[in-house]
Amino acid sequence: MKVELIEQLEPFSDTPWYGIKVDGTSVKWSKDKKVIDDIYNEIINNPELLKTKENILKSQEIEVSLEK
């Protein structure tokens, strides 16, 4: 796993964006370098934070009749 802290300067902008990429995929972006630096350090210390968590909030099975 490759974790990168990125500074991105867009054309015609004086304000950089800071981001985190993991294996080339963007994870989080902010204009606040300290926020991104803190998140970067959290990821380095606990890579489990990158796992997606999913909760099923509602679920229901229904019957559909295709006969007319």
Side-chain angles (χ1 to χ4, degrees):
M1 174 187 326
K2 183 177 182 180
V3 182
E4 300 172 298
L5 184 93
I6 308 289
E7 179 182 64
Q8 185 178 68
L9 296 167
E10 295 180 354
F12 311 106
S13 176
D14 294 335
T15 306
W17 280 90
Y18 300 96
I20 297 171
K21 288 186 177 181
V22 176
D23 293 332
T25 301
S26 293
V27 173
K28 181 75 176 168
W29 288 90
S30 175
K31 289 193 175 191
D32 187 335
K33 185 179 179 189
K34 180 170 178 3
V35 167
I36 290 300
D37 197 48
D38 289 346
I39 293 171
Y40 176 85
N41 289 328
E42 286 182 45
I43 291 170
I44 295 301
N45 291 325
N46 183 8
E48 294 289 314
L49 292 172
L50 293 171
K51 288 188 175 181
T52 299
K53 295 164 185 73
E54 183 176 287
N55 294 317
I56 298 171
L57 300 177
K58 288 186 177 184
S59 178
Q60 182 175 343
E61 296 241 359
I62 59 171
E63 284 189 41
V64 177
S65 175
L66 298 176
E67 297 178 24
K68 291 184 178 181

